[in-house]
Amino acid sequence: METSSQLKEEFYIRRLFDDDAVFVDATRYARQEIPYPLSAKKSLKATCAVRLEGEVVAFSLRGYTAKQAEREVEHIKSVAAGRPTSYNVLRPRMPRKILHELVESARSLAGVLGNEVVVEHDGTLYVVELTRLGSEGALRLAGELV
């Protein structure tokens, strides 16, 4: 088991602000299990949990359709100072089991793949290469693991 200095977890929410979708840090909300305020249900686009454990970086990205966001985001109505108010909240949850499984998979493949980037999508493992194009990086599919 890794010590706390070698283990770091973060949680991000991809939100729609005006016409831009950006990731915002919601780690504190996930750790303290407190609701994250959203301007509208449709503003939730994705969540991303990241775990750094030793030399392994694991992340779990979950995208939301409009229907999924509708189910996940709570619409809360209340009365404040005699006036009805309403707001939307998401209860972020760190997918620790998934992140732990990804870290274990990476460690078991490290002897074979070395420093390659491995992506698991719908149960299939892929090897991707990170390349630089000037100041930007790009991922290129190198192969599928069977």
Side-chain angles (χ1 to χ4, degrees):
M1 178 148 203
E2 300 288 330
T3 63
S4 61
S5 64
Q6 295 176 320
L7 175 69
K8 184 173 182 175
E9 290 180 333
E10 294 182 359
F11 190 84
Y12 298 90
I13 296 175
R14 187 168 188 235
R15 297 189 51 186
L16 186 63
F17 287 106
D18 298 324
D19 290 334
D20 292 332
V22 296
F23 278 98
V24 293
D25 188 355
T27 304
R28 178 175 67 92
Y29 294 89
R31 282 188 186 141
Q32 296 176 2
E33 297 180 3
I34 55 177
Y36 180 86
L38 289 168
S39 55
K41 290 184 177 188
K42 65 181 180 180
S43 68
L44 174 64
K45 296 301 177 190
T47 58
C48 180
V50 181
R51 182 178 212 163
L52 174 61
E53 193 170 321
E55 66 282 343
V56 176
V57 178
F59 69 92
S60 176
L61 180 65
R62 179 179 178 197
Y64 289 89
T65 65
K67 265 189 181 175
Q68 290 169 328
E70 182 75 26
R71 285 192 306 262
E72 289 285 325
V73 177
E74 296 177 49
H75 184 73
I76 299 174
K77 295 180 180 180
S78 63
V79 177
R83 304 181 103 187
T85 61
S86 64
Y87 55 96
N88 299 296
V89 296
L90 173 70
R91 299 191 187 277
R93 292 178 293 279
M94 185 72 73
R96 288 192 172 91
K97 181 179 179 189
I98 292 170
L99 292 172
H100 176 74
E101 290 171 354
L102 289 170
V103 168
E104 291 303 311
S105 293
R107 287 203 171 118
S108 67
L109 293 170
V112 177
L113 296 174
N115 292 328
E116 298 294 332
V117 176
V118 179
V119 176
E120 180 179 343
H121 185 266
D122 291 336
T124 303
L125 295 174
Y126 301 95
V127 177
V128 294
E129 295 175 345
L130 178 62
T131 58
R132 287 252 176 235
L133 302 170
S135 63
E136 294 185 22
L139 292 175
R140 185 180 71 78
L141 180 63
E144 181 179 332
L145 291 174
V146 288

